[in-house]
Amino acid sequence: MNAIYLKKLKWSGLHFFLGLLVLSIAGFYIYSQWFYAGRHYLTDLAGLAGIILSIDLILGPVLCFWLLSPIKTRKENITNLILIVFLQLTSLGYGVKQIDSQRLAYIVKWQTSYFAIPKGDARGEYTFEGFYSFNEPAVGTKNRPLYDKLIGQSIPPIEMNEFFQSTDFTTECKTICGVITKNGIVNITKINGVLTFNKSLH
């Protein structure tokens, strides 16, 4: 009996380290390509990634220990292993989708404040980084009924891309400005042509 459990522990340990390797590679890619230059400050990336990593790193080894056994046939173990991998890939795919929704879509100026909007909150085609200013249509103009309709649907102005006007960092911020995010105030600068974010001390 002890030999069986030792074998199951060995398989679970191997599964854990392979999972850790895969998640480390995926995490490095996501961080370096999606959240470079301080973009991780715009959201609680560490908390979200921690939940996803813990689920995937725990799920696989636990299922491995539970479903795989040296006393089962090779076919049974292969079938169970395929099931485990499928569940982990599904979980990882969902996690990556959630992280992708937290990527920066655009920065919009509304009244006197700047807001960083993640992809998950963006509407329409504004899914790429850019600066925009919100131009509220005046009462009596042809676009005002659409504005009033969107307000009635509880859509905030910072998501009304129908009334966005494209602008840029130099026009809006000159050298530095603070943007409002779900994670607090974040300072934005432009270094070597790349928008760079730093956590505000205020």
Short mmCIF file of all heavy atoms in Angstrom, two decimals, residues 117-181:
data_model
loop_
_atom_site.label_atom_id
_atom_site.label_comp_id
_atom_site.label_asym_id
_atom_site.label_seq_id
_atom_site.Cartn_x
_atom_site.Cartn_y
_atom_site.Cartn_z
N ILE A 117 -9.02 52.80 -19.03
CA ILE A 117 -10.10 51.83 -19.19
C ILE A 117 -9.54 50.49 -19.68
O ILE A 117 -8.87 50.43 -20.71
CB ILE A 117 -11.15 52.34 -20.20
CG1 ILE A 117 -11.62 53.75 -19.83
CG2 ILE A 117 -12.33 51.38 -20.29
CD1 ILE A 117 -12.22 53.86 -18.45
N PRO A 118 -9.80 49.42 -18.94
CA PRO A 118 -9.33 48.10 -19.39
C PRO A 118 -10.20 47.55 -20.51
O PRO A 118 -11.34 48.00 -20.72
CB PRO A 118 -9.46 47.25 -18.12
CG PRO A 118 -10.56 47.89 -17.34
CD PRO A 118 -10.46 49.35 -17.63
N LYS A 119 -9.68 46.57 -21.22
CA LYS A 119 -10.40 45.98 -22.34
C LYS A 119 -11.76 45.43 -21.94
O LYS A 119 -12.71 45.49 -22.71
CB LYS A 119 -9.56 44.86 -22.98
CG LYS A 119 -8.36 45.36 -23.75
CD LYS A 119 -7.57 44.19 -24.34
CE LYS A 119 -8.39 43.42 -25.36
NZ LYS A 119 -7.59 42.34 -26.00
N GLY A 120 -11.84 44.90 -20.72
CA GLY A 120 -13.09 44.32 -20.26
C GLY A 120 -14.20 45.33 -20.10
O GLY A 120 -15.39 44.96 -20.11
N ASP A 121 -13.86 46.62 -19.98
CA ASP A 121 -14.87 47.66 -19.81
C ASP A 121 -15.06 48.50 -21.07
O ASP A 121 -15.94 49.37 -21.10
CB ASP A 121 -14.47 48.60 -18.65
CG ASP A 121 -14.54 47.90 -17.30
OD1 ASP A 121 -15.24 46.89 -17.20
OD2 ASP A 121 -13.88 48.37 -16.36
N ALA A 122 -14.24 48.25 -22.08
CA ALA A 122 -14.31 49.06 -23.30
C ALA A 122 -15.50 48.64 -24.16
O ALA A 122 -15.91 47.48 -24.15
CB ALA A 122 -13.01 48.93 -24.09
N ARG A 123 -16.04 49.59 -24.89
CA ARG A 123 -17.13 49.31 -25.83
C ARG A 123 -16.64 49.56 -27.25
O ARG A 123 -15.71 50.32 -27.48
CB ARG A 123 -18.32 50.23 -25.55
CG ARG A 123 -19.00 50.00 -24.21
CD ARG A 123 -20.10 51.03 -23.94
NE ARG A 123 -21.13 51.03 -24.96
CZ ARG A 123 -21.34 52.03 -25.81
NH1 ARG A 123 -20.59 53.11 -25.77
NH2 ARG A 123 -22.31 51.96 -26.70
N GLY A 124 -17.26 48.90 -28.22
CA GLY A 124 -16.94 49.15 -29.61
C GLY A 124 -15.56 48.69 -30.00
O GLY A 124 -15.06 47.68 -29.52
N GLU A 125 -14.91 49.47 -30.83
CA GLU A 125 -13.65 49.07 -31.43
C GLU A 125 -12.42 49.63 -30.71
O GLU A 125 -11.31 49.42 -31.15
CB GLU A 125 -13.61 49.54 -32.90
CG GLU A 125 -14.71 48.95 -33.75
CD GLU A 125 -14.65 47.43 -33.80
OE1 GLU A 125 -13.54 46.88 -33.87
OE2 GLU A 125 -15.72 46.80 -33.75
N TYR A 126 -12.61 50.37 -29.62
CA TYR A 126 -11.47 50.96 -28.93
C TYR A 126 -10.81 49.94 -28.02
O TYR A 126 -10.94 49.96 -26.81
CB TYR A 126 -11.91 52.19 -28.13
CG TYR A 126 -12.28 53.36 -29.00
CD1 TYR A 126 -13.63 53.62 -29.27
CD2 TYR A 126 -11.32 54.15 -29.59
CE1 TYR A 126 -13.99 54.67 -30.08
CE2 TYR A 126 -11.68 55.21 -30.40
CZ TYR A 126 -13.01 55.48 -30.65
OH TYR A 126 -13.36 56.52 -31.46
N THR A 127 -10.10 49.01 -28.63
CA THR A 127 -9.42 47.97 -27.87
C THR A 127 -7.91 48.13 -27.90
O THR A 127 -7.20 47.32 -27.33
CB THR A 127 -9.79 46.57 -28.40
OG1 THR A 127 -9.50 46.51 -29.80
CG2 THR A 127 -11.28 46.31 -28.19
N PHE A 128 -7.41 49.15 -28.58
CA PHE A 128 -5.98 49.39 -28.62
C PHE A 128 -5.65 50.66 -27.83
O PHE A 128 -6.49 51.54 -27.68
CB PHE A 128 -5.49 49.53 -30.07
CG PHE A 128 -5.69 48.28 -30.88
CD1 PHE A 128 -6.77 48.16 -31.74
CD2 PHE A 128 -4.80 47.22 -30.78
CE1 PHE A 128 -6.95 47.00 -32.48
CE2 PHE A 128 -4.98 46.06 -31.51
CZ PHE A 128 -6.05 45.95 -32.36
N GLU A 129 -4.44 50.70 -27.35
CA GLU A 129 -4.04 51.84 -26.55
C GLU A 129 -4.17 53.15 -27.33
O GLU A 129 -3.89 53.20 -28.52
CB GLU A 129 -2.59 51.68 -26.09
CG GLU A 129 -2.41 50.67 -24.99
CD GLU A 129 -1.00 50.70 -24.43
OE1 GLU A 129 -0.27 51.67 -24.69
OE2 GLU A 129 -0.64 49.74 -23.72
N GLY A 130 -4.57 54.20 -26.62
CA GLY A 130 -4.68 55.50 -27.25
C GLY A 130 -5.25 56.51 -26.28
O GLY A 130 -5.86 56.14 -25.28
N PHE A 131 -5.04 57.79 -26.58
CA PHE A 131 -5.61 58.88 -25.79
C PHE A 131 -6.84 59.41 -26.50
O PHE A 131 -6.82 59.60 -27.72
CB PHE A 131 -4.59 60.00 -25.62
CG PHE A 131 -3.70 59.84 -24.43
CD1 PHE A 131 -2.56 59.06 -24.49
CD2 PHE A 131 -4.00 60.47 -23.23
CE1 PHE A 131 -1.73 58.91 -23.40
CE2 PHE A 131 -3.18 60.33 -22.13
CZ PHE A 131 -2.04 59.55 -22.21
N TYR A 132 -7.89 59.66 -25.71
CA TYR A 132 -9.11 60.23 -26.26
C TYR A 132 -9.66 61.26 -25.28
O TYR A 132 -9.40 61.20 -24.08
CB TYR A 132 -10.17 59.14 -26.50
CG TYR A 132 -9.71 58.05 -27.43
CD1 TYR A 132 -9.06 56.92 -26.93
CD2 TYR A 132 -9.91 58.16 -28.80
CE1 TYR A 132 -8.62 55.93 -27.79
CE2 TYR A 132 -9.47 57.17 -29.66
CZ TYR A 132 -8.81 56.05 -29.15
OH TYR A 132 -8.37 55.08 -30.00
N SER A 133 -10.40 62.21 -25.82
CA SER A 133 -11.12 63.15 -24.97
C SER A 133 -12.61 62.97 -25.24
O SER A 133 -13.01 62.69 -26.38
CB SER A 133 -10.68 64.59 -25.25
OG SER A 133 -10.93 64.94 -26.61
N PHE A 134 -13.40 63.10 -24.19
CA PHE A 134 -14.84 62.93 -24.32
C PHE A 134 -15.49 64.27 -24.63
O PHE A 134 -15.31 65.24 -23.91
CB PHE A 134 -15.43 62.35 -23.04
CG PHE A 134 -16.93 62.26 -23.06
CD1 PHE A 134 -17.56 61.27 -23.78
CD2 PHE A 134 -17.70 63.19 -22.35
CE1 PHE A 134 -18.95 61.19 -23.81
CE2 PHE A 134 -19.08 63.11 -22.37
CZ PHE A 134 -19.72 62.12 -23.10
N ASN A 135 -16.23 64.34 -25.73
CA ASN A 135 -16.94 65.56 -26.13
C ASN A 135 -18.44 65.33 -25.99
O ASN A 135 -19.07 64.69 -26.83
CB ASN A 135 -16.60 65.94 -27.58
CG ASN A 135 -15.16 66.39 -27.73
OD1 ASN A 135 -14.61 67.03 -26.84
ND2 ASN A 135 -14.54 66.06 -28.85
N GLU A 136 -18.97 65.86 -24.91
CA GLU A 136 -20.41 65.70 -24.68
C GLU A 136 -21.19 66.55 -25.68
O GLU A 136 -20.95 67.75 -25.80
CB GLU A 136 -20.76 66.12 -23.25
CG GLU A 136 -22.24 65.99 -22.93
CD GLU A 136 -22.56 66.41 -21.50
OE1 GLU A 136 -21.66 66.36 -20.66
OE2 GLU A 136 -23.72 66.78 -21.26
N PRO A 137 -22.14 65.94 -26.41
CA PRO A 137 -22.92 66.72 -27.38
C PRO A 137 -23.82 67.72 -26.67
O PRO A 137 -24.42 67.41 -25.63
CB PRO A 137 -23.73 65.65 -28.12
CG PRO A 137 -23.80 64.50 -27.18
CD PRO A 137 -22.51 64.52 -26.40
N ALA A 138 -23.86 68.90 -27.18
CA ALA A 138 -24.67 69.96 -26.57
C ALA A 138 -26.16 69.66 -26.72
O ALA A 138 -26.59 68.94 -27.62
CB ALA A 138 -24.35 71.30 -27.23
N VAL A 139 -26.93 70.20 -25.79
CA VAL A 139 -28.39 70.04 -25.83
C VAL A 139 -28.91 70.65 -27.13
O VAL A 139 -28.54 71.76 -27.51
CB VAL A 139 -29.05 70.73 -24.61
CG1 VAL A 139 -30.57 70.65 -24.72
CG2 VAL A 139 -28.57 70.08 -23.33
N GLY A 140 -29.76 69.86 -27.82
CA GLY A 140 -30.35 70.35 -29.06
C GLY A 140 -29.61 69.92 -30.31
O GLY A 140 -30.13 70.08 -31.42
N THR A 141 -28.40 69.34 -30.16
CA THR A 141 -27.67 68.86 -31.33
C THR A 141 -28.17 67.48 -31.72
O THR A 141 -28.84 66.79 -30.93
CB THR A 141 -26.16 68.81 -31.06
OG1 THR A 141 -25.90 67.92 -29.96
CG2 THR A 141 -25.64 70.20 -30.70
N LYS A 142 -27.81 67.03 -32.92
CA LYS A 142 -28.35 65.76 -33.43
C LYS A 142 -27.86 64.55 -32.65
O LYS A 142 -28.51 63.49 -32.64
CB LYS A 142 -28.03 65.60 -34.91
CG LYS A 142 -26.54 65.43 -35.22
CD LYS A 142 -26.33 65.19 -36.70
CE LYS A 142 -24.85 64.94 -37.01
NZ LYS A 142 -24.63 64.65 -38.45
N ASN A 143 -26.69 64.66 -32.01
CA ASN A 143 -26.15 63.52 -31.26
C ASN A 143 -26.64 63.46 -29.81
O ASN A 143 -26.37 62.48 -29.12
CB ASN A 143 -24.62 63.56 -31.26
CG ASN A 143 -24.04 63.23 -32.62
OD1 ASN A 143 -24.62 62.44 -33.38
ND2 ASN A 143 -22.90 63.82 -32.95
N ARG A 144 -27.33 64.48 -29.37
CA ARG A 144 -27.77 64.52 -27.97
C ARG A 144 -28.74 63.39 -27.62
O ARG A 144 -28.63 62.80 -26.53
CB ARG A 144 -28.41 65.88 -27.66
CG ARG A 144 -28.76 66.06 -26.19
CD ARG A 144 -27.52 66.14 -25.34
NE ARG A 144 -27.84 66.17 -23.92
CZ ARG A 144 -27.00 66.54 -22.96
NH1 ARG A 144 -25.76 66.92 -23.29
NH2 ARG A 144 -27.36 66.54 -21.71
N PRO A 145 -29.71 63.03 -28.49
CA PRO A 145 -30.61 61.92 -28.15
C PRO A 145 -29.86 60.60 -27.89
O PRO A 145 -30.23 59.84 -26.99
CB PRO A 145 -31.52 61.81 -29.37
CG PRO A 145 -31.54 63.20 -29.93
CD PRO A 145 -30.13 63.70 -29.73
N LEU A 146 -28.79 60.34 -28.67
CA LEU A 146 -28.01 59.13 -28.45
C LEU A 146 -27.31 59.19 -27.09
O LEU A 146 -27.28 58.19 -26.35
CB LEU A 146 -26.97 58.95 -29.57
CG LEU A 146 -25.99 57.78 -29.40
CD1 LEU A 146 -26.75 56.46 -29.31
CD2 LEU A 146 -24.99 57.75 -30.54
N TYR A 147 -26.76 60.36 -26.77
CA TYR A 147 -26.12 60.54 -25.46
C TYR A 147 -27.11 60.29 -24.33
O TYR A 147 -26.81 59.56 -23.37
CB TYR A 147 -25.55 61.95 -25.37
CG TYR A 147 -25.04 62.33 -23.99
CD1 TYR A 147 -23.78 61.91 -23.56
CD2 TYR A 147 -25.81 63.09 -23.13
CE1 TYR A 147 -23.30 62.25 -22.30
CE2 TYR A 147 -25.36 63.42 -21.87
CZ TYR A 147 -24.11 63.00 -21.45
OH TYR A 147 -23.65 63.33 -20.21
N ASP A 148 -28.30 60.87 -24.43
CA ASP A 148 -29.33 60.69 -23.39
C ASP A 148 -29.76 59.22 -23.29
O ASP A 148 -30.01 58.71 -22.19
CB ASP A 148 -30.55 61.57 -23.69
CG ASP A 148 -30.23 63.06 -23.56
OD1 ASP A 148 -29.30 63.39 -22.80
OD2 ASP A 148 -30.92 63.87 -24.20
N LYS A 149 -29.81 58.54 -24.45
CA LYS A 149 -30.18 57.12 -24.44
C LYS A 149 -29.13 56.29 -23.72
O LYS A 149 -29.46 55.41 -22.91
CB LYS A 149 -30.34 56.63 -25.88
CG LYS A 149 -30.66 55.15 -26.00
CD LYS A 149 -30.74 54.71 -27.45
CE LYS A 149 -31.01 53.21 -27.56
NZ LYS A 149 -31.06 52.79 -29.00
N LEU A 150 -27.84 56.56 -23.98
CA LEU A 150 -26.77 55.82 -23.33
C LEU A 150 -26.74 56.10 -21.83
O LEU A 150 -26.51 55.19 -21.03
CB LEU A 150 -25.42 56.18 -23.97
CG LEU A 150 -25.24 55.75 -25.42
CD1 LEU A 150 -23.93 56.28 -25.98
CD2 LEU A 150 -25.30 54.23 -25.55
N ILE A 151 -27.00 57.34 -21.45
CA ILE A 151 -27.09 57.67 -20.03
C ILE A 151 -28.22 56.88 -19.39
O ILE A 151 -28.10 56.36 -18.27
CB ILE A 151 -27.31 59.19 -19.84
CG1 ILE A 151 -26.01 59.96 -20.15
CG2 ILE A 151 -27.77 59.50 -18.42
CD1 ILE A 151 -24.88 59.72 -19.16
N GLY A 152 -29.34 56.78 -20.10
CA GLY A 152 -30.49 56.02 -19.59
C GLY A 152 -30.18 54.54 -19.44
O GLY A 152 -30.82 53.85 -18.63
N GLN A 153 -29.19 54.04 -20.20
CA GLN A 153 -28.77 52.64 -20.10
C GLN A 153 -27.65 52.46 -19.08
O GLN A 153 -27.05 51.39 -19.00
CB GLN A 153 -28.31 52.14 -21.46
CG GLN A 153 -29.40 52.10 -22.51
CD GLN A 153 -28.89 51.76 -23.89
OE1 GLN A 153 -27.68 51.72 -24.14
NE2 GLN A 153 -29.81 51.50 -24.82
N SER A 154 -27.39 53.51 -18.31
CA SER A 154 -26.36 53.50 -17.25
C SER A 154 -24.95 53.30 -17.79
O SER A 154 -24.10 52.71 -17.12
CB SER A 154 -26.68 52.43 -16.19
OG SER A 154 -27.93 52.70 -15.58
N ILE A 155 -24.70 53.74 -19.02
CA ILE A 155 -23.36 53.68 -19.59
C ILE A 155 -22.64 54.98 -19.25
O ILE A 155 -23.12 56.06 -19.61
CB ILE A 155 -23.42 53.48 -21.12
CG1 ILE A 155 -24.07 52.14 -21.43
CG2 ILE A 155 -22.02 53.55 -21.73
CD1 ILE A 155 -24.32 51.90 -22.90
N PRO A 156 -21.51 54.91 -18.56
CA PRO A 156 -20.80 56.14 -18.17
C PRO A 156 -20.14 56.81 -19.37
O PRO A 156 -19.79 56.14 -20.36
CB PRO A 156 -19.76 55.64 -17.16
CG PRO A 156 -19.52 54.23 -17.54
CD PRO A 156 -20.83 53.71 -18.05
N PRO A 157 -19.95 58.12 -19.32
CA PRO A 157 -19.30 58.84 -20.43
C PRO A 157 -17.94 58.28 -20.82
O PRO A 157 -17.58 58.31 -22.00
CB PRO A 157 -19.19 60.27 -19.89
CG PRO A 157 -20.33 60.39 -18.92
CD PRO A 157 -20.41 59.04 -18.27
N ILE A 158 -17.18 57.75 -19.86
CA ILE A 158 -15.85 57.24 -20.17
C ILE A 158 -15.89 55.97 -21.03
O ILE A 158 -14.85 55.50 -21.48
CB ILE A 158 -15.02 56.98 -18.89
CG1 ILE A 158 -15.76 56.02 -17.97
CG2 ILE A 158 -14.70 58.28 -18.19
CD1 ILE A 158 -14.96 55.63 -16.74
N GLU A 159 -17.10 55.43 -21.26
CA GLU A 159 -17.23 54.28 -22.14
C GLU A 159 -18.00 54.62 -23.42
O GLU A 159 -18.20 53.76 -24.27
CB GLU A 159 -17.94 53.14 -21.40
CG GLU A 159 -17.15 52.59 -20.22
CD GLU A 159 -17.91 51.51 -19.46
OE1 GLU A 159 -18.88 50.96 -20.02
OE2 GLU A 159 -17.54 51.22 -18.31
N MET A 160 -18.42 55.87 -23.57
CA MET A 160 -19.19 56.29 -24.75
C MET A 160 -18.24 56.63 -25.89
O MET A 160 -18.01 57.80 -26.21
CB MET A 160 -20.08 57.49 -24.41
CG MET A 160 -21.18 57.20 -23.42
SD MET A 160 -22.20 58.69 -23.20
CE MET A 160 -23.26 58.16 -21.87
N ASN A 161 -17.70 55.61 -26.54
CA ASN A 161 -16.74 55.85 -27.60
C ASN A 161 -17.34 56.59 -28.80
O ASN A 161 -16.61 57.08 -29.64
CB ASN A 161 -16.07 54.54 -28.04
CG ASN A 161 -17.10 53.48 -28.39
OD1 ASN A 161 -17.89 53.66 -29.31
ND2 ASN A 161 -17.10 52.37 -27.67
N GLU A 162 -18.67 56.65 -28.86
CA GLU A 162 -19.31 57.39 -29.95
C GLU A 162 -18.94 58.88 -29.93
O GLU A 162 -19.00 59.56 -30.94
CB GLU A 162 -20.84 57.26 -29.85
CG GLU A 162 -21.37 55.86 -30.08
CD GLU A 162 -21.41 55.01 -28.81
OE1 GLU A 162 -20.81 55.43 -27.79
OE2 GLU A 162 -22.04 53.94 -28.84
N PHE A 163 -18.54 59.36 -28.75
CA PHE A 163 -18.25 60.78 -28.59
C PHE A 163 -16.78 61.04 -28.24
O PHE A 163 -16.45 62.10 -27.73
CB PHE A 163 -19.16 61.39 -27.51
CG PHE A 163 -20.62 61.09 -27.72
CD1 PHE A 163 -21.30 60.27 -26.84
CD2 PHE A 163 -21.29 61.60 -28.82
CE1 PHE A 163 -22.64 59.97 -27.04
CE2 PHE A 163 -22.64 61.30 -29.03
CZ PHE A 163 -23.32 60.49 -28.14
N PHE A 164 -15.94 60.07 -28.54
CA PHE A 164 -14.51 60.24 -28.28
C PHE A 164 -13.84 60.99 -29.43
O PHE A 164 -14.19 60.79 -30.60
CB PHE A 164 -13.82 58.89 -28.12
CG PHE A 164 -14.11 58.20 -26.81
CD1 PHE A 164 -13.56 56.96 -26.54
CD2 PHE A 164 -14.92 58.78 -25.85
CE1 PHE A 164 -13.82 56.30 -25.34
CE2 PHE A 164 -15.19 58.14 -24.66
CZ PHE A 164 -14.64 56.90 -24.39
N GLN A 165 -12.88 61.82 -29.08
CA GLN A 165 -12.05 62.48 -30.08
C GLN A 165 -10.61 62.09 -29.82
O GLN A 165 -10.10 62.22 -28.71
CB GLN A 165 -12.20 64.00 -29.99
CG GLN A 165 -11.36 64.74 -31.02
CD GLN A 165 -11.57 66.24 -30.97
OE1 GLN A 165 -12.35 66.73 -30.16
NE2 GLN A 165 -10.88 66.97 -31.82
N SER A 166 -9.93 61.58 -30.85
CA SER A 166 -8.56 61.12 -30.70
C SER A 166 -7.62 62.27 -30.38
O SER A 166 -7.72 63.36 -30.94
CB SER A 166 -8.10 60.42 -31.98
OG SER A 166 -6.78 59.94 -31.84
N THR A 167 -6.73 62.03 -29.44
CA THR A 167 -5.71 63.01 -29.06
C THR A 167 -4.43 62.24 -28.76
O THR A 167 -4.30 61.10 -29.18
CB THR A 167 -6.19 63.86 -27.86
OG1 THR A 167 -5.18 64.82 -27.53
CG2 THR A 167 -6.51 63.02 -26.65
N ASP A 168 -3.47 62.83 -28.05
CA ASP A 168 -2.24 62.09 -27.76
C ASP A 168 -1.64 62.53 -26.44
O ASP A 168 -2.12 63.46 -25.79
CB ASP A 168 -1.22 62.26 -28.89
CG ASP A 168 -0.91 63.73 -29.18
OD1 ASP A 168 -0.81 64.53 -28.23
OD2 ASP A 168 -0.78 64.07 -30.36
N PHE A 169 -0.59 61.82 -26.03
CA PHE A 169 0.05 62.07 -24.74
C PHE A 169 0.60 63.49 -24.65
O PHE A 169 0.43 64.18 -23.65
CB PHE A 169 1.17 61.06 -24.51
CG PHE A 169 2.00 61.35 -23.29
CD1 PHE A 169 1.58 60.93 -22.04
CD2 PHE A 169 3.20 62.04 -23.38
CE1 PHE A 169 2.33 61.19 -20.90
CE2 PHE A 169 3.96 62.31 -22.26
CZ PHE A 169 3.53 61.89 -21.02
N THR A 170 1.26 63.94 -25.71
CA THR A 170 1.88 65.27 -25.68
C THR A 170 0.84 66.36 -25.48
O THR A 170 1.04 67.30 -24.70
CB THR A 170 2.66 65.52 -26.98
OG1 THR A 170 3.62 64.47 -27.16
CG2 THR A 170 3.38 66.85 -26.93
N THR A 171 -0.30 66.23 -26.15
CA THR A 171 -1.36 67.22 -26.03
C THR A 171 -1.98 67.20 -24.64
O THR A 171 -2.22 68.25 -24.04
CB THR A 171 -2.45 66.97 -27.09
OG1 THR A 171 -1.86 67.04 -28.38
CG2 THR A 171 -3.56 68.00 -26.98
N GLU A 172 -2.23 66.02 -24.13
CA GLU A 172 -2.95 65.89 -22.88
C GLU A 172 -2.07 66.03 -21.64
O GLU A 172 -2.46 66.66 -20.66
CB GLU A 172 -3.68 64.53 -22.84
CG GLU A 172 -4.73 64.35 -23.91
CD GLU A 172 -5.87 65.34 -23.78
OE1 GLU A 172 -6.13 65.79 -22.65
OE2 GLU A 172 -6.48 65.67 -24.80
N CYS A 173 -0.90 65.44 -21.68
CA CYS A 173 -0.09 65.35 -20.46
C CYS A 173 1.21 66.14 -20.51
O CYS A 173 1.80 66.42 -19.47
CB CYS A 173 0.25 63.88 -20.17
SG CYS A 173 -1.20 62.84 -19.90
N LYS A 174 1.67 66.44 -21.72
CA LYS A 174 2.95 67.13 -21.89
C LYS A 174 4.11 66.27 -21.37
O LYS A 174 4.81 65.66 -22.14
CB LYS A 174 2.94 68.49 -21.19
CG LYS A 174 1.79 69.39 -21.64
CD LYS A 174 2.28 70.66 -22.18
CE LYS A 174 1.21 71.64 -22.64
NZ LYS A 174 -0.06 71.16 -23.04
N THR A 175 4.33 66.21 -20.05
CA THR A 175 5.42 65.39 -19.51
C THR A 175 4.94 64.29 -18.57
O THR A 175 5.51 63.21 -18.52
CB THR A 175 6.44 66.26 -18.76
OG1 THR A 175 5.77 66.98 -17.72
CG2 THR A 175 7.10 67.26 -19.71
N ILE A 176 3.88 64.58 -17.80
CA ILE A 176 3.36 63.59 -16.85
C ILE A 176 1.95 63.97 -16.45
O ILE A 176 1.60 65.15 -16.44
CB ILE A 176 4.26 63.50 -15.58
CG1 ILE A 176 3.78 62.36 -14.67
CG2 ILE A 176 4.25 64.83 -14.83
CD1 ILE A 176 4.73 62.11 -13.49
N CYS A 177 1.12 62.96 -16.18
CA CYS A 177 -0.20 63.22 -15.60
C CYS A 177 -0.67 61.97 -14.88
O CYS A 177 -0.16 60.87 -15.11
CB CYS A 177 -1.21 63.66 -16.67
SG CYS A 177 -1.56 62.44 -17.94
N GLY A 178 -1.61 62.16 -14.00
CA GLY A 178 -2.15 61.04 -13.23
C GLY A 178 -3.44 60.55 -13.85
O GLY A 178 -4.28 61.34 -14.29
N VAL A 179 -3.59 59.23 -13.91
CA VAL A 179 -4.82 58.65 -14.45
C VAL A 179 -5.51 57.84 -13.36
O VAL A 179 -4.86 57.24 -12.49
CB VAL A 179 -4.54 57.75 -15.68
CG1 VAL A 179 -3.97 58.58 -16.82
CG2 VAL A 179 -3.59 56.62 -15.32
N ILE A 180 -6.82 57.85 -13.40
CA ILE A 180 -7.62 57.11 -12.42
C ILE A 180 -7.83 55.69 -12.93
O ILE A 180 -8.26 55.48 -14.07
CB ILE A 180 -8.98 57.81 -12.20
CG1 ILE A 180 -8.76 59.22 -11.66
CG2 ILE A 180 -9.85 57.00 -11.25
CD1 ILE A 180 -10.04 60.05 -11.58
N THR A 181 -7.50 54.73 -12.09
CA THR A 181 -7.68 53.31 -12.43
C THR A 181 -8.44 52.62 -11.31
O THR A 181 -8.69 53.20 -10.26
CB THR A 181 -6.31 52.62 -12.62
OG1 THR A 181 -5.72 52.40 -11.33
CG2 THR A 181 -5.37 53.46 -13.47
#
